Amino acid sequence: MSLNPSGSKPHETEDISSPHSSEIVVGCRKSELALTQTRSIISELSQKLDPSPSFEIATSSVAGDADKQSPFMLLSKQTGGSDIGKSLWTNGLEMELAADKVQFLVHCLKDMPTTLPPNCLLGAIPEREDCSDAVVMRSNSVIKSIDQLPPGSVVGSSSSRRRALVRRNWPHLEVLECRGNLDTRLAKLDAPSSPFSCILLATAGLLRLGLGHRITQRLEPTIFPYAVGQGALGIELSTDRQDILQLVQHVDHKPSRWRGMAERAMLRSLQGGCSSSIGVWSSFEALDTQQGPGSGTLRLRATIIHMEGTSEISSEDVTTVQCDEEAEQLGVSVANMLLSKGARDLLPEQL
C-alpha cells in the first residue's frame, strides 16, 4: 500500500506479505483505530521527508484481539500479568518485525510491554494526544457529568484502573465489564437493553476516529489519573535497522518521549501491567537555559489504587532532563518512593 506525499489514502493489505523492495512496510493491528494511527504517522513522515519513500501498511492479528469475552484482568492473569499480559497486543507483530516482513510497527504506547524483546527498540514517540479518560453517556442521555448519575447507575469499562477509580470517586455507582473495539463498546452502550448509563474510554482514541462528539466529559487527570503511555503512540523497530531509526526519528517528539519513558520506567520498576490499578500524570516544561533547547523540567506523579477503591498510594518527583536516561531515572525514583510506602500490598499477587 503506497501513500504519496500529497496524502492520498493508502491501500491496506489484510495480512502481512513480503514487501516490494522499494517500499517501507509498516505493521499494525487490524483495528480501525490502529489503521488510522498508522496512516497518521505515514502522512507525517511523507510531509517531512524529501524525497519521501513509498509506504505500505500490513496488518496482522494479535492474541489480545482473539478473545472478545474474557475480562481483560483474567486474560492477563492467565498469561502471567504485567508485561506478559501486554505482549498479547504486540507479540504477533514483533514476529513479523523480526522476520523483516515489516520495517517498523506503530502501537498504542500503553499497549507496549515496558521491556521489549531482544533486538527491538522504541525508536520514536510522536507528539502525544489528550491523555485523559472520557465519559461517554448513552446517545439519548441528558446527563452531562458522571457526578450527576443516580446511585446504582452502571458504568462500563474494561480497565482495572478505571474500575478502581470509579469505586474510589463514585462509590455509589456500579461498574461492569465492557470489552471490545470502540465501535463495539459504543454499540453496547446505546443498545435498547444496555445496562450501562455510560462507559469510560480514552479521549485520544475517540478523537483520532473522529468521534469527539461522543465525549460527554473529560475527566481531570488529578482525580482520574490516566494509564501509562495513554494518548501516545510508540514506533518499534529492529536494533539493526539504523536507517529506519533515522527515518522514524523525524516524528519523534522529545517532550512526549521523555514523559512516556519516565512513565514506562516507573511501571517497569513496579512490574505493574494491564491488570494493575496504576494511574499517572506527567508534564514537561521546556527550559531556555545554557543546557540547550532540548532540556526541560519533567514531573511525574503515580498512584496505585486498591482494586475496590478503598485505599491508594501516590508519589511525585520532578527533575531537569535532557536525555532518555534522565527521564527513566525519574520513573525509577517515583517507583522507589511508591515501594517505600508499601506499594507491593496494592499490586496483584502474581507480580
Side-chain angles (χ1 to χ4, degrees):
M1 167 193 66
S2 301
L3 177 71
N4 61 39
S6 66
S8 59
K9 182 177 177 180
H11 166 72
E12 291 89 23
T13 58
E14 286 303 318
D15 293 287
I16 299 282
S17 57
S18 298
H20 300 295
S21 59
S22 61
E23 292 177 325
I24 293 176
V25 183
V26 187
C28 70
R29 289 165 57 190
K30 288 187 174 182
S31 74
E32 186 57 36
L33 178 58
L35 282 165
T36 298
Q37 292 170 164
T38 303
R39 291 183 197 122
S40 72
I41 295 300
I42 290 175
S43 177
E44 187 175 352
L45 284 171
S46 296
Q47 293 171 24
K48 292 184 175 182
L49 296 172
D50 186 18
S52 172
S54 178
F55 292 95
E56 177 181 340
I57 295 177
T59 61
S60 183
S61 297
V62 297
D65 289 323
D67 186 342
K68 300 295 186 183
Q69 302 301 322
S70 300
F72 186 78
M73 183 171 66
L74 177 60
L75 188 61
S76 294
K77 286 184 177 180
Q78 289 172 340
T79 55
S82 191
D83 270 356
I84 299 178
K86 284 179 178 263
S87 68
L88 292 170
W89 310 105
T90 60
N91 273 354
L93 294 167
E94 287 164 343
M95 291 174 62
E96 306 297 339
L97 184 66
D100 201 32
K101 293 183 178 180
V102 299
Q103 281 67 64
F104 65 87
L105 304 172
V106 177
H107 303 285
C108 288
L109 187 63
K110 70 177 182 178
D111 291 339
M112 294 184 70
T114 57
T115 300
L116 299 181
N119 304 318
C120 291
L121 63 87
L122 182 55
I125 298 179
E127 186 168 4
R128 201 169 186 173
E129 180 60 88
D130 188 330
C131 304
S132 69
D133 288 287
V135 177
V136 181
M137 295 290 178
R138 298 186 66 167
S139 56
N140 59 353
S141 177
V142 297
I143 297 177
K144 299 302 180 185
S145 168
I146 193 172
D147 301 292
Q148 299 171 357
L149 289 174
S153 298
V154 178
V155 179
S157 176
S158 61
S159 159
S160 299
R161 172 188 56 86
R162 291 173 183 147
R163 290 155 69 97
L165 284 167
V166 169
R167 291 174 179 133
R168 183 195 73 175
N169 292 307
W170 303 281
H172 62 288
L173 302 178
E174 295 185 28
V175 190
L176 292 180
E177 188 77 20
C178 183
R179 291 196 67 214
N181 59 34
L182 244 168
D183 288 342
T184 299
R185 296 189 209 186
L186 290 173
K188 288 180 179 180
L189 172 66
D190 294 334
S193 59
S194 173
F196 304 115
S197 296
C198 69
I199 58 175
L200 303 181
L201 299 166
T203 297
L206 289 163
L207 294 177
R208 287 175 177 141
L209 286 177
L211 294 170
H213 62 281
R214 289 303 310 262
I215 297 174
T216 305
Q217 176 187 11
R218 300 190 194 195
L219 294 171
E220 172 55 49
T222 54
I223 65 166
F224 209 92
Y226 43 82
V228 165
Q230 184 161 304
L233 303 178
I235 298 179
E236 184 179 7
L237 61 139
S238 298
T239 54
D240 60 356
R241 291 300 302 266
Q242 290 299 306
D243 56 330
I244 301 298
L245 177 60
Q246 292 178 11
L247 183 147
V248 301
Q249 283 181 338
H250 283 86
V251 295
D252 192 48
H253 183 250
K254 282 294 188 288
S256 299
R257 180 179 183 85
W258 290 335
R259 288 174 61 201
M261 296 196 79
E263 294 171 16
R264 287 168 57 80
M266 179 278 300
L267 190 62
R268 181 167 56 245
S269 297
L270 292 178
Q271 297 183 350
C274 295
S275 60
S276 302
S277 302
I278 301 174
V280 296
W281 173 84
S282 64
S283 67
F284 179 86
E285 183 178 351
L287 296 177
D288 185 15
T289 68
Q290 293 182 345
Q291 291 177 298
S295 63
T297 301
L298 181 62
R299 184 180 300 273
L300 174 64
R301 178 180 177 84
T303 302
I304 304 175
I305 311 98
H306 187 278
M307 293 297 297
E308 298 303 320
T310 54
S311 61
E312 66 178 60
I313 296 173
S314 295
S315 291
E316 182 175 336
D317 201 1
V318 60
T319 189
T320 299
V321 300
Q322 53 184 339
C323 66
D324 292 356
E325 292 74 19
E326 290 172 347
E328 291 191 320
Q329 287 171 11
L330 176 64
V332 173
S333 171
V334 172
N336 288 336
M337 294 167 69
L338 289 168
L339 290 170
S340 71
K341 294 179 179 180
R344 290 286 178 211
D345 295 335
L346 294 182
L347 292 172
E349 292 181 1
Q350 79 274 16
L351 301 178

